[in-house]
Amino acid sequence: MVVSELKLWNPTLYDEQIVPLVYLSGVLLFVAGLSIVRNHPVWVLGWQTTVTITGWLGMLLGLIRMFYPQSYKNNFDNGTSTLVFEVLLILLGVFLTYKAYWPTQKR
């Protein structure tokens, strides 16, 4: 999903954001984050905690978009910092996919 939203791939995607769409994306982010937190409340010293933290961050960003959609829309900048953040999200997704589907070592 993040790859399809990259500025390099889809440069005009965020040019015209409407408040109801920002709100809807907030609801979706909140529900996704809540489902992750409810089904994966793991706080250990390891990579598994990354999944839980991702859920909490999704809930937080969803709440911000739900309660302040106009402010979020007005303050959004589709510049270099957004591109760097999107690349970090892609790397996080690759890492979690690798950890989820790579076979564990048998002892």
Side-chain angles (χ1 to χ4, degrees):
M1 183 176 81
V2 176
V3 172
S4 71
E5 295 178 359
L6 277 174
K7 183 179 179 180
L8 301 172
W9 183 267
N10 204 347
T12 60
L13 181 66
Y14 294 111
D15 286 349
E16 293 185 25
Q17 294 185 24
I18 58 173
V19 174
L21 190 57
V22 173
Y23 179 82
L24 177 63
S25 69
V27 170
L28 295 174
L29 267 171
F30 179 77
V31 170
L34 182 62
S35 65
I36 291 171
V37 169
R38 293 273 300 147
N39 291 310
H40 197 275
V42 177
W43 294 101
V44 296
L45 188 58
W47 70 269
Q48 296 90 347
T49 305
T50 307
V51 177
T52 307
I53 292 172
T54 302
W56 281 103
L57 291 176
M59 284 177 51
L60 179 64
L61 184 58
L63 286 173
I64 290 170
R65 286 183 177 195
M66 286 167 53
F67 284 102
Y68 306 105
Q70 186 66 39
S71 175
Y72 184 85
K73 176 187 175 267
N74 292 339
N75 294 329
F76 182 78
D77 176 32
N78 196 15
T80 306
S81 60
T82 303
L83 181 62
V84 169
F85 183 69
E86 288 173 339
V87 169
L88 289 174
L89 285 176
I90 291 170
L91 292 175
L92 176 65
V94 168
F95 171 75
L96 290 176
T97 302
Y98 171 80
K99 287 305 222 176
Y101 293 104
W102 194 259
T104 58
Q105 295 178 355
K106 294 182 181 182
R107 296 178 190 214

